[in-house]
Amino acid sequence: MSVQKEMKEPIYYGDPATTRGISVFAQEFDQLFSYDEGDLGLTYSSACSSFCLWAPTAQEAELVIYDSWQGAAGSKYAMIRDIRGTWRATVDGDLDGKFYTYRVRLGEQWNEAADPYARAVGVNGDRGAILDLRKTDPERWTEDKPSFEDPVDAIIYELHLRDLSIHPASGMAHKGQYLALAEEGTRGPEGILTGLDHIADLGVTHVQLLPIYDYSTESVDETKLDEPHFNWGYDPKNYNAPEGSYATDPYVPGLRIQELKTMIQALHDRGLRVIMDVVYNHVYDGYRVNFTKLVPGYYLRYKQDGSLSNGSGCGNDVATERLMMSRFIVESVVYWAKEYHIDGFRFDLMGLMDVDTMRETRRRLDGIDPSIMTIGEGWMMGTELPMERLAHQKNASLMPGIGHFNDDFRDAIKGNIFLYDQPGFISGMMGLEPAIKAGIAGGIDFSPGIKQFAVEPQQNVNYVECHDNHTLWDKIVLSTEGETVTQRRSMHRLASAIVFMSQGIPFIHAGQEFMRTKDGVENSYKSSVEINRMDWELCAAHQEDVVYMKQLIELRKAHPAFRMRTAADIRNHLVFEKAPASAVAYTLRGHAGGDAAKHIYVLFNSNAEQTTVVLPQLGAWKTIFGADLTQELTGNKLTVNGIGTVVLTAK
């Protein structure tokens, strides 16, 4: 996530008489002025356009209509004060192609801002765009989605759109754009699959996209796309409109919408669902964002001294617990799910959001499609809201159906992400076996000493690499001084295997399948494209590792025992077996979801030397994965040689 410089500017809260003397910070403010009619923002038709703004602290409000995304004074229309802090205006005629903003008077000061509810915006997002959304639907735009039963069946592939295609050897025509991910038949060095074909061929089920909503101009200026630029996009500006820098022409407001939909349809047609990375915990700038200009003080959290709360580290925290902010978030998620057919949402710094908003989001999505996933970063972070109200891991029991990234499992596997030279289980750190077992069990309360935050496995997301921090390969390099490339490659493979053969939801970062490197850069949110891009030449050189990842995915899909639906099933069928230090072994015994007569034995071994384990007497064992490591398999004894994973089955 990007870090924004806090800009100290005065905030004017308006005349208290306008709000009957009730401060925006008071609980009574929501009781008096919260509005839930659901028609905020623009309602367009070819006959007229209606606008509804929530701005209870304003003495006056105006709608401004512009002919262009910039410059030229617009036509102003006085808005009429309505119930519970709302203002309304209707303009006759077809405004398709026009742009709009709101102006509010707070005391003697006039503030102008884009509509927070705008569903289309002009270049760089300073004005809302008026258009007929149905004209943005691509020629093929269906409600059909790939079949999907349970979150633990998901295999998530996290991707930054620009990373995918910008490499000169990507074989994609629409480099850095939405349409690149819709291209089929693309090939790279030595004829390897790239882009959509590569992702579909891996066998993943969900593509998780780093932010695709409109983000700050300070990150990427949409008028200067011919200049070098890059950003992850964790600095929200307009939550309900797509980012323009990924469009073929950011100056045409409807085009980015159409091209994003075209991309989503292409993914659905290839059997891939789409998860959207959403950042409702902070905004790009707490003083200049449209929320603050229209209703100063309401939408963000403040400390007792009047300064902005900054648990996010980005200069501000969104006050998700305030009714109108909470409703905005829920309605925004619902909008993306309905209008764009989004199949899941990943909540950035979810631990800064409140439990009630997350629960309501899950409830509303269940009403649309229960298979829509909700996962997030449930970190415990300091903010101006009590810990018992925040959506972090320790409150997972209050949020059924919402998954949390398992950072303890991640760090146990590869080493603490903040201590660069610290190794993990895969690289020889001793004493991490209990932490590895806790992740294998899906983060549930499995047994004394093996317990994490999850009530059910659907609440646990397993991963060893994501866009944040070092790639897995770079972390291994930093923490294994003097090791050979061959040994590091074995460690890398072992880490991925642990993710796929553990209970819960597996998650990988784009390029993890070919040992992606960012040349040691820890957080590349605004690094050059050369650091961030997916290196298709590296992919071509590591095709054996790509095949290895495919085999892991196939193995997980083939055996329901790796993706048990309930904590009770896990406790009934998972048994940890005896293993030497720096190794973890377990059996999945007669899982009812598969062949009741079949048992699975898994060994994760981080010993570089020969290792022997005694197998439980459950039948005749045979190797189905890791035969290259298996030195001897006779009776109830397995001997392996080197770092890696072996999987056996018995009937």
Side-chain angles (χ1 to χ4, degrees), residues 445-466:
D445 186 353
F446 179 77
S447 66
I450 302 178
K451 177 183 179 180
Q452 289 183 303
F453 54 84
V455 177
E456 296 292 344
Q458 292 82 357
Q459 292 183 296
N460 176 56
V461 180
N462 295 320
Y463 74 115
V464 286
E465 176 178 326
C466 68

Side-chain angles (χ1 to χ4, degrees), residues 59 61 140 157 192 217 407 479 492 527 534 542 623:
Q59 282 98 337
R140 175 169 169 75
Y157 187 85
I192 65 167
T217 310
D407 55 329
S479 59
H492 196 286
S527 298
M534 290 183 69
H542 282 270
T623 305

Side-chain angles (χ1 to χ4, degrees), residues 230-291:
F230 185 88
N231 205 279
W232 284 343
Y234 289 92
D235 42 4
K237 188 168 183 176
N238 293 289
Y239 282 107
N240 293 338
E243 166 63 15
S245 64
Y246 301 133
T248 56
D249 188 347
Y251 293 88
V252 182
L255 190 60
R256 65 181 75 180
I257 299 174
Q258 184 182 58
E259 291 176 350
L260 174 55
K261 290 178 177 178
T262 298
M263 182 199 77
I264 293 168
Q265 185 66 53
L267 287 163
H268 284 170
D269 288 346
R270 291 296 294 271
L272 294 161
R273 288 187 160 221
V274 181
I275 296 175
M276 180 180 179
D277 196 333
V278 289
V279 188
Y280 295 111
N281 67 84
H282 73 276
V283 295
Y284 81 98
D285 187 295
Y287 295 96
R288 293 184 293 169
V289 73
N290 47 14
F291 290 122

Side-chain angles (χ1 to χ4, degrees), residues 2-183:
S2 59
V3 179
Q4 296 295 320
K5 183 180 179 182
E6 186 172 326
M7 296 188 65
K8 298 286 186 182
E9 296 180 3
I11 296 177
Y12 194 88
Y13 299 109
D15 184 351
T18 307
T19 58
R20 307 178 203 175
I22 304 297
S23 164
V24 292
F25 300 109
Q27 269 191 330
E28 295 88 345
F29 191 86
D30 271 343
Q31 296 168 8
L32 282 172
F33 296 108
S34 63
Y35 178 78
D36 62 358
E37 297 300 316
D39 63 343
L40 290 169
L42 164 66
T43 302
Y44 166 84
S45 76
S46 59
C48 67
S49 292
S50 299
F51 302 82
C52 184
L53 164 68
W54 185 74
T57 60
Q59 282 98 337
E60 294 181 78
E62 294 179 340
L63 166 70
V64 188
I65 303 294
Y66 293 94
D67 291 328
S68 173
W69 65 274
Q70 68 170 356
S75 302
K76 296 177 183 177
Y77 299 84
M79 302 187 79
I80 299 171
R81 189 189 296 275
D82 201 3
I83 62 171
R84 303 187 70 82
T86 58
W87 299 81
R88 295 184 182 275
T90 298
V91 180
D92 292 333
D94 192 348
L95 298 183
D96 192 0
K98 303 288 187 182
F99 298 83
Y100 75 104
T101 61
Y102 297 126
R103 295 180 78 236
V104 294
R105 183 170 68 83
L106 303 161
E108 299 305 314
Q109 176 178 313
W110 282 91
N111 289 346
E112 183 171 2
D115 181 0
Y117 283 82
R119 296 175 172 182
V121 294
V123 171
N124 286 332
D126 291 325
R127 294 175 181 174
I130 304 171
L131 50 77
D132 181 351
L133 276 172
R134 297 289 58 82
K135 292 180 180 178
T136 69
D137 293 342
E139 186 174 338
R140 175 169 169 75
W141 186 233
T142 72
E143 296 285 347
D144 301 332
K145 293 188 174 186
S147 60
F148 181 65
E149 293 184 10
D150 192 275
V152 297
D153 293 333
I155 298 167
I156 301 172
Y157 187 85
E158 185 195 38
L159 176 69
H160 183 279
L161 275 171
R162 192 165 170 80
D163 289 357
L164 175 74
S165 55
I166 203 68
H167 192 281
S170 71
M172 284 165 262
H174 296 90
K175 286 184 167 49
Q177 298 172 346
Y178 295 116
L179 293 181
L181 189 48
E183 294 180 40

Side-chain angles (χ1 to χ4, degrees), residues 375-389:
I375 60 175
E377 293 180 303
W379 318 140
M380 295 187 68
M381 308 178 74
T383 186
E384 297 301 301
L385 199 66
M387 280 291 172
E388 62 268 20
R389 295 185 63 186

